[in-house]
């Protein structure tokens, strides 16, 4: 399958080593400005994927991100932030990357070359047709990713992808493909730059929109967030005071800590008032 690897095309900038620091950072910034516009072009595809993911979660399913290298790390990051931000179970959104957890900190680059690796990792979670599996690969050619999506397709499991090249093999196996084309990188082939930024932006949209639709946000507040440190206790206490009319900070704080989240505290207070 012929793939136009935009991500591997030469940088439009030459002789980077001769640039001043000012020129380097300004030129990187100029390239970064293009990312949001590229993401804007694929918003309908993001909407389609979010709708599919919400449908799966409402049926009791899960979201799986599958990736390698920077793409894999971004998937793991997005998944790992869902429990503390929205108070959901750690197994609701799962990030898998080639090479496992060790690859989060150290490059295990050859792990991505196994087309059976992604599917094998998914099997450890007993992935089913109730779930959605989203492959993340800037190149769109990573065997670990397309192999996982191919097997999912064969098993009737809904698939999606976030890639940065058009007409890729990863997108071929995705029911909901997202192709965000950001162009050549400032450093040729360094897809941790614009491609990684684009993938992070799309992942932010997916997980945030899904959690809002699943009722994990009220108004514009993270009412289900885990109360796990002093900053979040303070934030939650002030949210509770605002929502309930409790005037005393220490009273609101004690009530919050007793019930574990803003939403639980509000529901308990409302129930007590109805008695």
């Amino acid at each position: 399958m012929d793939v136009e690897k935009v991500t591997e095309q030469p940088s439009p900038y030459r002789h980077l080593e001769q640039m001043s620091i000012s020129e380097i950072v300004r030129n990187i910034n100029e390239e970064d400005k293009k990312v949001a516009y590229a993401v804007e072009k694929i918003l309908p595809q993001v909407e389609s994927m979010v709708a599919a993911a919400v449908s799966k979660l409402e049926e009791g399913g899960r979201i799986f991100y599958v990736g390698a290298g920077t793409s894999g790390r971004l998937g793991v990051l997005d998944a790992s932030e869902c429990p503390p931000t929205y108070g959901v179970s750690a197994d609701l959104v799962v990030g898998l990357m080639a090479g496992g957890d060790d690859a989060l900190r150290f490059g295990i680059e050859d792990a991505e070359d196994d087309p059976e690796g992604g599917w094998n990792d998914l099997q450890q979670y007993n992935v089913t047709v109730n779930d959605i599996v989203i492959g993340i690969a800037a190149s769109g050619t990573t065997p670990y990713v397309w192999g996982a999506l191919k097997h999912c397709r064969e098993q009737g499991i809904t698939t999606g992808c976030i890639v940065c090249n058009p007409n890729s093999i990863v997108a071929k196996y995705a029911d909901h493909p997202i192709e965000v084309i950001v162009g050549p990188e400032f450093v040729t082939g360094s897809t941790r730059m614009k491609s990684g930024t684009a993938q992070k932006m799309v992942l932010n949209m997916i997980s945030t929109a899904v959690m809002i639709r699943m009722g994990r946000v009220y108004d514009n507040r993270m009412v289900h967030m885990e109360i796990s440190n002093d900053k979040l206790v303070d934030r939650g206490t002030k949210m509770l005071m605002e929502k309930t009319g409790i005037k005393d900070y220490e009273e609101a704080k004690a009530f919050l800590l007793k019930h574990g989240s803003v939403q639980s505290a509000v529901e308990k207070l409302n129930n007590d008032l109805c008695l």
Side-chain angles (χ1 to χ4, degrees):
M1 182 178 183
D2 292 330
V3 178
E4 179 189 359
K5 287 194 176 182
V6 178
T7 55
E8 295 295 325
Q9 290 180 354
S11 169
Y13 302 87
R14 298 295 305 277
H15 305 297
L16 308 188
E17 75 283 358
Q18 297 177 18
M19 291 182 182
S20 68
I21 294 174
S22 175
E23 289 174 319
I24 292 171
V25 297
R26 288 182 182 278
N27 288 331
I28 291 174
N29 182 242
E30 284 301 315
E31 290 302 302
D32 287 344
K33 290 176 184 178
K34 301 175 183 178
V35 177
Y37 292 110
V39 172
E40 183 180 22
K41 294 178 181 178
I42 49 83
L43 291 180
Q45 289 74 38
V46 178
E47 180 182 352
S48 174
M49 187 182 291
V50 168
V54 169
S55 177
K56 289 299 179 181
L57 265 58
E58 289 177 339
E59 296 171 0
R62 300 159 293 176
I63 298 172
F64 288 91
Y65 296 133
V66 179
T70 297
S71 299
R73 294 182 186 101
L74 289 170
V76 172
L77 172 64
D78 194 74
S80 67
E81 290 179 340
C82 288
T85 306
Y86 300 109
V88 297
S89 169
D91 61 2
L92 189 69
V93 184
V94 179
L96 302 176
M97 72 173 295
D101 288 348
D102 287 345
L104 289 170
R105 293 176 59 85
F106 307 102
I108 307 179
E109 304 303 334
D110 59 339
E112 69 179 52
D113 295 331
D114 180 7
E116 299 299 319
W119 177 246
N120 290 338
D121 287 346
L122 284 167
Q123 290 300 286
Q124 297 179 32
Y125 290 84
N126 298 313
V127 62
T128 74
V129 293
N130 293 326
D131 304 316
I132 180 170
V133 177
I134 301 171
I136 314 171
S139 68
T141 61
T142 308
Y144 179 88
V145 178
W146 66 252
L149 298 191
K150 180 175 183 290
H151 279 291
C152 286
R153 269 283 190 83
E154 292 169 350
Q155 299 299 318
I157 298 167
T158 301
T159 57
C161 75
I162 307 170
V163 299
C164 297
N165 282 323
N167 305 314
S168 68
I169 187 170
V170 169
K172 172 186 175 183
Y173 294 116
D175 301 313
H176 301 277
I178 294 175
E179 298 174 317
V180 53
I181 313 303
V182 296
E185 298 288 357
F186 178 71
V187 175
T188 299
S190 182
T191 52
R192 72 182 188 88
M193 301 186 76
K194 287 192 300 182
S195 297
T197 300
Q199 290 174 324
K200 180 67 168 71
M201 291 175 71
V202 172
L203 287 166
N204 284 347
M205 290 179 180
I206 293 170
S207 57
T208 303
V210 166
M211 292 302 159
I212 290 172
R213 299 301 295 173
M214 294 299 294
R216 309 308 292 183
V217 173
Y218 178 79
D219 191 10
N220 57 11
R221 303 301 183 92
M222 299 178 287
V223 293
H224 289 277
M225 66 181 180
E226 292 182 357
I227 308 300
S228 55
N229 60 36
D230 290 343
K231 178 188 72 175
L232 297 179
V233 170
D234 179 66
R235 181 188 297 169
T237 299
K238 292 174 180 176
M239 288 169 56
L240 185 60
M241 294 173 70
E242 178 184 310
K243 289 176 65 63
T244 65
I246 296 175
K247 302 297 184 183
D248 185 79
Y249 181 91
E250 292 302 325
E251 178 187 350
K253 178 179 177 180
F255 201 71
L256 173 68
L257 293 175
K258 179 179 179 180
H259 295 287
S261 74
V262 174
Q263 188 65 26
S264 296
V266 171
E267 290 175 353
K268 175 60 177 174
L269 188 61
N270 289 339
N271 288 337
D272 288 347
L273 290 174
C274 292
L275 296 177

